[in-house]
Amino acid sequence: MIDLSSHEVWFVTGSQSLYGEEALQQVGEHARVIAAGLDAEASIPARVICKPVLTTHDAIRRLCMEADLDDNCIGLVTWMHTFSPARMWIPGLKRLRTPFVHLHTQFNRAIPWATIDMDFMNLNQSAHGGREFGFVGARLGLERTVVVGHWEDTAVRRRLTVWTRAAAAWHDAQHARIARFGDNMRNVAVTEGNKVSAEIELGYSVAGYGIGDLVERMEQVSDAEVEELTREYDDCYRVSSELGPRGPRRTALRDGARIELGLRRFLTEGGFTAFTSSFEVLHGMPQLPGLAVQRLMADGYGFGGEGDWKTAALVRAVKVMGHGLPGGSSFMEDYTYHFDGPDSMVLGAHMLELCPSIGDGRKASLEIHPLPIGGKSDPVRLVFTGAAGAAVNASLVDMGDRFRMVVNTVTAVTPAEELPRLPVARVLWKPVPNLEVAAAGWILAGGAHHTAYSQAIDVEYIEDFCDIAGIECLHIGAETRINAFKRELRWNEAYYRMAGARGGR
């Protein structure tokens, strides 16, 4: 349900007519070679399309308008081959809504010491052409990423890959619809937020539905469909004996299958890419959705518990950014601590809903256990332990006058002991730089208890996404010190108050 195959990134080259037609032909040929090289780069998850060299106000303005109107174009890679007087770019850049990355490179890698002359110098002026373009971007206050280095270098292509995936997530958000079954968990603060501001600033729309709308779709599911899906469960998971084909609680598994089929039908019909649930709104449901949510997340849907639509949207964005990469992504919650000095850790879990894509590679166990919340029958769920390795936790919060992203780099570890009585999926991690600094920084920044957790991407992807979105991003990592972090919070507060929030808040 995530498809990046139709995405395009347009390679846009700036120059001017001053150098003559022969020079412009060389500029065009160099641009085609670079674009073809980037297009052949397997890690970049979009077609790189070379556009004609731009040398006038009108050509630049028209290209920017075309990019905004093209459903396949997710971003521009801009390159100034020669000196492109940047006033030409103002009309186009002022109206451009499509994100762009400024690639500050040049066609040749090295200076040709023995043959360099003024013809070469006039043609290969990226060094100061890019600075001219950079000034206008700064003067217009445009959010953009700048990548510097030779276009054939691995590091440059990796940065372009990261940016392209962030642009793909932004493109997805502009068309995203989030279904919210029920409302926010009563009296909870951080999962609330301004949906109008979210649509203005981040693109996605949030629509609320009564649980009866979902129950109606469940009632449309046939018994044959339910039986087919339960057989799929038997093949995919280690099904507990009580839920097995002859088990005494097979009916509960059928109920779980009916919930999944009804929920899939509802989301597909409405074109939704993410959704939320609430254990306080379950009228007509036999059990709280657990297995259904886990499997839908594994297919690429975003999810947030207790009506948390911001985290649902963020989980979807993270899944788009990480699509096709090793490692998984999931809705997550910081649940309980293990205090042990420098080895202090966090156990992440939720009532039921972690995505099996983050599992340790062993087949998940399909189980049923009591849930002393929600007032319904015992729900079925997948139980597994998260894979060890580097990861990030990210939280999107509404600060009233702006959105803020808080990101913590973490290292997931394998639990030293088994957890035989814990009936939910879980991940154990060490926050970076340590639990004390990470938790204090998170709390000072107002980060939520719900997060998007990912081993497929790192903080660079989140930062690029925030740059495209024009929202604040705070990273808690190896170099974080609380006193400096407090100063960053104060500086950011002053900056955003003076700059004014986008969208008129």
Side-chain angles (χ1 to χ4, degrees):
M1 71 95 38
I2 297 175
D3 183 9
L4 308 182
S5 62
S6 64
H7 288 355
E8 296 177 358
V9 171
W10 292 0
F11 191 83
V12 178
T13 306
S15 187
Q16 62 176 320
S17 300
L18 179 67
Y19 305 111
E21 186 59 32
E22 183 179 348
L24 285 177
Q25 289 178 1
Q26 289 181 276
V27 170
E29 179 58 27
H30 289 174
R32 287 187 288 273
V33 171
I34 295 177
L38 296 179
D39 187 49
E41 175 60 49
S43 66
I44 296 178
R47 291 293 314 281
V48 180
I49 307 297
C50 188
K51 291 295 180 176
V53 177
L54 301 176
T55 60
T56 67
H57 287 76
D58 286 343
I60 293 169
R61 179 179 55 82
R62 283 196 299 271
L63 180 130
C64 292
M65 293 172 63
E66 290 168 5
D68 286 344
L69 292 172
D70 194 299
D71 289 337
N72 294 327
C73 180
I74 65 170
L76 310 179
V77 177
T78 57
W79 174 49
M80 303 303 111
H81 185 300
T82 58
F83 192 79
S84 179
R87 283 172 57 189
M88 297 188 303
W89 288 84
I90 293 173
L93 292 180
K94 279 179 61 179
R95 71 184 67 218
L96 182 68
R97 302 291 296 173
T98 303
F100 73 94
V101 57
H102 180 182
L103 177 58
H104 191 53
T105 189
Q106 63 187 27
F107 182 72
N108 57 298
R109 180 182 293 277
I111 294 173
W113 305 106
T115 61
I116 187 171
D117 55 19
M118 283 310 300
D119 288 338
F120 181 93
M121 295 281 277
N122 282 334
L123 182 64
N124 297 280
Q125 297 189 50
S126 296
H128 72 285
R131 285 168 166 77
E132 168 77 356
F133 182 73
F135 166 74
V136 163
R139 180 67 176 78
L140 292 174
L142 300 177
E143 299 288 351
R144 77 274 197 217
T145 296
V146 179
V147 177
V148 181
H150 192 258
W151 59 275
E152 291 181 306
D153 288 347
T154 300
V156 168
R157 295 191 173 197
R158 187 194 64 80
R159 278 297 292 124
L160 289 175
T161 297
V162 170
W163 180 86
T164 301
R165 287 183 170 275
W170 176 252
H171 181 77
D172 180 81
Q174 305 318 293
H175 311 280
R177 300 187 65 213
I178 301 166
R180 199 166 183 236
F181 295 106
D183 201 355
N184 191 65
M185 182 178 172
R186 299 179 189 116
N187 297 317
V188 176
V190 75
T191 51
E192 291 281 14
N194 190 319
K195 302 180 191 69
V196 175
S197 293
E199 190 159 359
I200 291 171
E201 298 179 43
L202 300 171
Y204 53 79
S205 65
V206 183
Y209 295 90
I211 201 69
D213 294 312
L214 174 56
V215 173
E216 181 181 5
R217 300 309 192 286
M218 291 166 49
E219 291 172 346
Q220 296 169 359
V221 174
S222 68
D223 291 342
E225 291 176 290
V226 170
E227 289 305 317
E228 182 179 358
L229 185 53
T230 54
R231 287 194 295 270
E232 180 180 327
Y233 296 160
D234 293 333
D235 293 336
C236 293
Y237 311 114
R238 292 184 289 113
V239 180
S240 66
S241 58
E242 56 189 338
L243 293 176
R246 295 181 176 82
R249 308 196 71 180
R250 185 71 169 186
T251 299
L253 187 60
R254 294 190 184 97
D255 288 340
R258 191 175 297 276
I259 292 171
E260 178 181 338
L261 290 164
L263 185 50
R264 282 186 184 277
R265 182 169 295 178
F266 184 95
L267 297 174
T268 300
E269 289 175 357
F272 296 104
T273 56
F275 65 101
T276 71
S277 67
S278 172
F279 61 81
E280 293 177 317
V281 183
L282 293 171
H283 181 71
M285 299 279 287
Q287 57 183 257
L288 182 67
L291 175 62
V293 172
Q294 292 177 295
R295 284 172 53 86
L296 284 161
M297 266 197 290
D299 286 344
Y301 284 95
F303 173 76
E306 293 101 50
D308 188 351
W309 53 271
K310 297 190 300 298
T311 300
L314 181 56
V315 170
R316 168 66 180 189
V318 167
K319 282 187 172 290
V320 172
M321 284 188 269
H323 181 65
L325 298 178
S329 303
S330 178
F331 171 72
M332 185 61 67
E333 180 173 276
D334 296 53
Y335 229 99
T336 193
Y337 292 141
H338 176 75
F339 282 113
D340 187 20
D343 290 322
S344 294
M345 294 177 285
V346 179
L347 183 66
H350 202 249
M351 292 183 296
L352 302 170
E353 313 97 342
L354 295 193
C355 179
S357 68
I358 64 172
D360 60 8
R362 294 180 292 179
K363 186 178 286 191
S365 177
L366 180 50
E367 303 176 11
I368 183 168
H369 299 280
L371 183 68
I373 193 168
K376 292 292 181 177
S377 299
D378 299 342
V380 294
R381 82 288 302 271
L382 295 175
V383 178
F384 58 87
T385 298
V392 290
N393 264 317
S395 171
L396 179 65
V397 293
D398 188 339
M399 298 302 294
D401 60 349
R402 67 188 185 279
F403 288 101
R404 167 184 285 172
M405 189 80 75
V406 187
V407 191
N408 184 205
T409 302
V410 304
T411 303
V413 299
T414 301
E417 299 183 33
E418 295 296 323
L419 301 163
R421 294 175 62 84
L422 185 61
V424 292
R426 60 275 183 154
V427 183
L428 184 67
W429 68 78
K430 293 183 179 180
V432 176
N434 54 55
L435 176 59
E436 292 77 10
V437 171
W442 194 274
I443 290 169
L444 288 167
H449 55 285
H450 290 166
T451 63
Y453 170 92
S454 181
Q455 290 188 313
I457 66 170
D458 58 28
V459 67
E460 209 166 31
Y461 293 78
I462 303 290
E463 289 175 337
D464 278 358
F465 180 85
C466 291
D467 284 344
I468 292 170
I471 63 174
E472 180 184 11
C473 185
L474 294 165
H475 175 215
I476 302 170
E479 305 302 319
T480 300
R481 302 294 181 269
I482 290 300
N483 285 341
F485 193 73
K486 286 181 177 179
R487 289 194 294 272
E488 183 178 0
L489 288 170
R490 296 187 188 108
W491 295 336
N492 286 8
E493 193 70 26
Y495 166 77
Y496 284 101
R497 290 287 173 87
M498 289 189 295
R502 294 171 64 187
R505 278 209 283 179

